[in-house]
């Protein structure tokens, strides 16, 4: 009685690996081409938004805000200064932070 097993041999691992590497390389090239086309077709407003989003996602942005809010809180809480710039410093600070949140949430952070 003849055997019903498949007579096909599995491709070698090396051949399969080179095929996967070739496909991966081709996909990366395709994605790079699509991104280059998308970058060229974006308007100045979207490019500006991506620059702002990139800066707002950086550690420099965090350090600047940390320094700015620390100085504001120090000057408004410290007893060294008799004349405080704002009579209600934390309400005003909360308003600034909330407005900044509204402004920054308008950007798509896909940089």
């Amino acid at each position: 009685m003849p055997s019903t097993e498949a007579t096909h041999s599995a491709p070698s691992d090396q051949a399969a690996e080179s095929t996967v590497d070739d496909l991966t390389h081709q996909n990366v090239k395709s994605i790079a081409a699509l991104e280059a086309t998308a970058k060229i077709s974006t308007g100045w407003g979207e490019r500006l938004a991506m620059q702002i989003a990139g800066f707002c996602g950086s550690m420099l942005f965090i350090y600047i805000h940390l320094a700015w809010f620390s100085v504001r809180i120090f000057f408004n809480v410290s007893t060294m200064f008799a004349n405080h710039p704002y009579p209600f410093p934390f309400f005003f600070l909360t308003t600034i932070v909330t407005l900044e949140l509204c402004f920054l949430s308008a950007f798509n952070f896909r940089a």
Side-chain angles (χ1 to χ4, degrees):
M1 186 165 194
S3 172
T4 57
E5 293 179 19
T7 58
H8 301 288
S9 62
S12 68
D13 289 338
Q14 189 177 21
E17 187 175 310
S18 68
T19 304
V20 170
D21 287 342
D22 292 341
L23 283 174
T24 302
H25 183 68
Q26 181 182 358
N27 287 341
V28 168
K29 284 175 59 175
S30 298
I31 291 170
L34 287 171
E35 286 179 351
T37 303
K39 194 172 195 177
I40 290 171
S41 67
T42 57
W44 68 270
E46 189 170 344
R47 285 193 303 269
L48 177 65
M50 286 193 294
Q51 290 291 328
I52 292 172
F55 174 69
C56 293
S58 70
M59 285 307 293
L60 179 61
F61 183 78
I62 301 296
Y63 295 144
I64 290 171
H65 275 73
L66 183 64
W68 169 249
F69 291 130
S70 298
V71 167
R72 279 191 59 97
I73 291 170
F74 174 75
F75 279 119
N76 282 299
V77 173
S78 177
T79 58
M80 296 169 57
F81 305 100
N83 190 8
H84 297 293
Y86 303 103
F88 304 105
F90 297 111
F91 293 125
F92 187 66
L93 189 63
T94 304
T95 304
I96 290 173
V97 171
T98 304
L99 288 173
E100 184 178 27
L101 173 68
C102 293
F103 175 72
L104 293 177
S105 66
F107 294 105
N108 187 1
F109 287 91
R110 60 181 171 155

